Amino acid sequence: MRGEEKPQVCVIGLGYIGLPTAAIIARANCPVTGVDVTESVVETINRGEIHIEEVDLDGLVRGVVQRGMLKASTEIVPADVFVIAVPTPFEKDGHHTPDTSYVMSAAAEVAGVLKKGDTIILESTSPVGTTEAMRELISGLRPDLKLPGKTDETPDVAIAYCPERVLPGKILEELTHNDRSIGGITPRCARKALAFYKRFVRGTCVTTDARSAEMTKLVENAYRDVNIAFANELSMISDEMDLDVWEVIKLANRHPRVNILQPGPGVGGHCIAVDPYFIIHGAPEQSPLIRTGREVNDAKMHHVVEQATKLIEANPGAPVACLGLAFKANIDDFRESPARFVAAKIARQFGERVKIVEPYAAELPREFESTGAELVDIDFALENCGILIVLVDHDIFKVVPAEERQHAIVYDTRGIWPDAQMKPSKPGLRLAS
Ligand SMILES: NC(=O)c1ccc[n+]([C@@H]2O[C@H](COP(=O)([O-])OP(=O)(O)OC[C@H]3O[C@@H](n4cnc5c(N)ncnc54)[C@H](O)[C@@H]3O)[C@@H](O)[C@H]2O)c1
């Protein structure tokens, strides 16, 4: 394939990362086959519809499917560029061991159709060394191909790692405009991958080696986690000392070289709460700070449950509204969500008193079954609940005016209602003014 020709692209894994990526590549007029093991995902996309919530993704997918630029399939097809965006969860061993089996199984599928000239790019967040491990696997399956780093001759294929750093809710914008680190197994691999990303990325693409690119992604999220842990630890200290953490942080941030992040009910999602463990697993002795950051952020969830429990017990009979289940604002993703953890604990304890408000959920997750808790809308909660526990900073909650919540006792774990006053007798709890 020469530089000016449009490559045929195969994107493997059509979830929150793979589907928007496939759609954006298709929009750049490269024909894309999206591959997913889940048949319903494939059927939905081939109807021009989407199975995840993401701003503007529905129109984009509909358009590229109608133009014939994006097709979905459960079977891998030959292509010029393969982009792997499958999950990288933990193993079920209880030790937060990274599970790269999805990546390896996708790489094995690719090996089956790989030909000279192809480029394979891993986008899944991965422990350091995964791209090389993928190369080893392919090498074993395709001894007929010369692989990068394993031959003194020009290799037949290029293999690179290029992580995603998108923000759910802004994925399409950030996929296009964010800077990217592109790590090749060799510099030649990095250049091949760079040429591909240049077709649809407007941000600056910086090339490096695969291991550095893998570590860069993990470091970005470990950095966020440790800094949020600092804010969460301050919030627990402030609760103990009867201080308003929001006020303390606001004042401290007036220092020109201080920028403390905002506390919350914990840290969730499948990135910030997960990726630090990929570093810890690789260098357990050298990562006490990163490990402690994880522990502090997990402890914050339990702290919120305790504080909420005290508040609810102190106000017998008052209906309780838990505002939000998503792991962050304005998205429908409830995976690894501290809000969901806290709300489920409260629902199990207080049953029918508990109402859940989650504008992005059609029904409550399974763990709420038989708790008696009920999904309601924000208007119902404001009209009927005497206790409001803010767990997610969805825009729809932020805009609730003070007069509509002044009857209620508020426990605002996100600091979205700054007009609410600290209630000194209950550290960390705010009463609407
Ligand atoms: N979601 C995010 O915001 C985000 C951001 C940055 C990085 N990441 C990383 O991107 C990767 C993918 O995350 P996601 O959120 O898109 O996951 P996801 O669970 O939303 O989607 C993954 C998809 O891959 C499919 N799949 C699994 N194994 C497969 C296989 N062998 N062949 C084909 N399809 C397969 C699944 O059916 C699923 O539809 C993960 O490593 C994640 O850590 C995610």
Side-chain angles (χ1 to χ4, degrees):
M1 190 194 63
R2 290 201 313 277
E4 67 277 14
E5 287 172 10
K6 299 282 186 196
Q8 297 268 346
V9 181
C10 183
V11 177
I12 301 142
L14 296 173
Y16 284 90
I17 294 300
L19 180 56
T21 302
I24 279 193
I25 299 169
R27 184 173 68 186
N29 290 322
C30 300
V32 180
T33 302
V35 179
D36 203 287
V37 286
T38 309
E39 246 165 62
S40 60
V41 167
V42 168
E43 284 164 12
T44 305
I45 294 166
N46 282 335
R47 285 198 305 272
E49 295 167 12
I50 57 174
H51 61 293
I52 51 173
E53 186 83 23
E54 180 55 42
V55 176
D56 295 337
L57 184 63
D58 50 354
L60 177 60
V61 167
R62 191 167 51 245
V64 288
V65 169
Q66 276 172 358
R67 284 202 292 127
M69 296 307 295
L70 172 63
K71 293 189 181 76
S73 168
T74 52
E75 299 291 324
I76 194 134
V77 294
D80 303 307
V81 179
F82 297 89
V83 177
I84 299 177
V86 296
T88 41
F90 296 129
E91 284 181 7
K92 292 184 176 50
D93 59 1
H95 298 294
H96 299 111
T97 308
D99 175 1
T100 56
S101 62
Y102 295 86
V103 171
M104 293 307 154
S105 124
E109 293 282 316
V110 172
V113 294
L114 202 57
K115 62 182 185 317
K116 196 172 170 179
D118 289 353
T119 300
I120 308 167
I121 299 164
L122 177 60
E123 285 207 358
S124 302
T125 304
S126 299
V128 173
T130 307
T131 312
E132 287 168 351
M134 211 173 72
R135 187 257 324 261
E136 292 307 307
L137 179 86
I138 296 169
S139 166
L141 294 168
R142 292 295 304 271
D144 55 311
L145 290 172
K146 292 194 277 292
L147 294 187
K150 291 185 84 77
T151 175
D152 292 334
E153 299 169 50
T154 305
D156 289 331
V157 297
I159 304 179
Y161 180 76
C162 182
E164 265 314 333
R165 44 166 74 122
V166 291
L167 183 71
K170 287 175 78 179
I171 291 184
L172 293 181
E173 187 193 323
E174 294 212 345
L175 268 177
T176 311
H177 295 287
N178 283 358
D179 292 351
R180 301 194 73 130
S181 311
I182 301 176
I185 290 233
T186 63
R188 182 179 175 278
C189 294
R191 286 194 299 277
K192 290 265 283 181
L194 174 68
F196 171 65
Y197 280 103
K198 284 278 183 196
R199 293 176 181 277
F200 59 95
V201 171
R202 298 280 160 270
T204 304
C205 296
V206 182
T207 56
T208 181
D209 61 278
R211 290 170 65 85
S212 297
E214 288 163 343
M215 186 61 169
T216 302
K217 169 69 191 175
L218 304 180
V219 163
E220 288 164 6
N221 281 338
Y223 171 86
R224 301 267 304 148
D225 198 46
V226 167
N227 280 279
I228 297 168
F230 182 72
N232 276 335
E233 187 163 296
L234 285 185
S235 74
M236 292 185 276
I237 294 168
S238 298
D239 284 352
E240 182 63 26
M241 293 186 173
D242 209 354
L243 288 162
D244 181 345
V245 68
W246 312 101
E247 178 73 359
V248 171
I249 291 176
K250 193 173 74 189
L251 294 173
N253 281 348
R254 295 186 79 86
H255 184 294
R257 285 167 297 283
V258 171
N259 186 14
I260 302 169
L261 300 183
Q262 298 296 296
V267 169
H270 33 277
C271 290
I272 298 183
V274 173
D275 303 353
Y277 285 117
F278 289 20
I279 299 178
I280 297 167
H281 186 259
E285 298 297 320
Q286 291 73 26
S287 47
L289 177 64
I290 296 174
R291 183 194 309 277
T292 304
R294 280 281 67 246
E295 286 166 4
V296 169
N297 285 330
D298 282 348
K300 181 66 195 284
M301 290 193 293
H302 296 281
H303 176 83
V304 170
V305 171
E306 268 171 38
Q307 293 283 94
T309 301
K310 275 191 222 158
L311 177 66
I312 298 166
E313 284 173 346
N315 294 276
V320 181
C322 292
L323 304 191
L325 293 178
F327 82 82
K328 65 199 299 185
N330 306 322
I331 60 166
D332 73 335
D333 194 340
F334 309 130
R335 295 179 292 179
E336 315 290 334
S337 167
R340 176 176 170 174
F341 172 87
V342 170
K345 285 262 183 204
I346 293 170
R348 273 198 290 279
Q349 284 188 79
F350 298 100
E352 285 174 5
R353 277 178 75 187
V354 179
K355 313 294 168 203
I356 309 291
V357 185
E358 179 43 84
Y360 292 89
E363 55 187 28
L364 287 177
R366 192 175 292 170
E367 66 267 28
F368 289 85
E369 270 171 22
S370 68
T371 59
E374 181 189 8
L375 186 65
V376 300
D377 64 22
I378 182 69
D379 293 334
F380 181 96
L382 292 170
E383 281 159 24
N384 295 285
C385 296
I387 300 174
L388 304 175
I389 302 175
V390 180
L391 297 172
V392 183
D393 45 347
H394 286 320
D395 286 347
I396 194 169
F397 302 152
K398 282 191 195 165
V399 297
V400 173
E403 56 271 23
E404 287 196 45
R405 48 185 159 81
Q406 63 193 359
H407 65 284
I409 297 168
V410 173
Y411 179 17
D412 180 0
T413 71
R414 293 279 183 180
I416 62 168
W417 292 332
D419 55 285
Q421 285 168 2
M422 177 83 177
K423 188 180 182 193
S425 58
K426 294 200 187 307
L429 307 178
R430 286 151 168 251
L431 277 181
S433 54

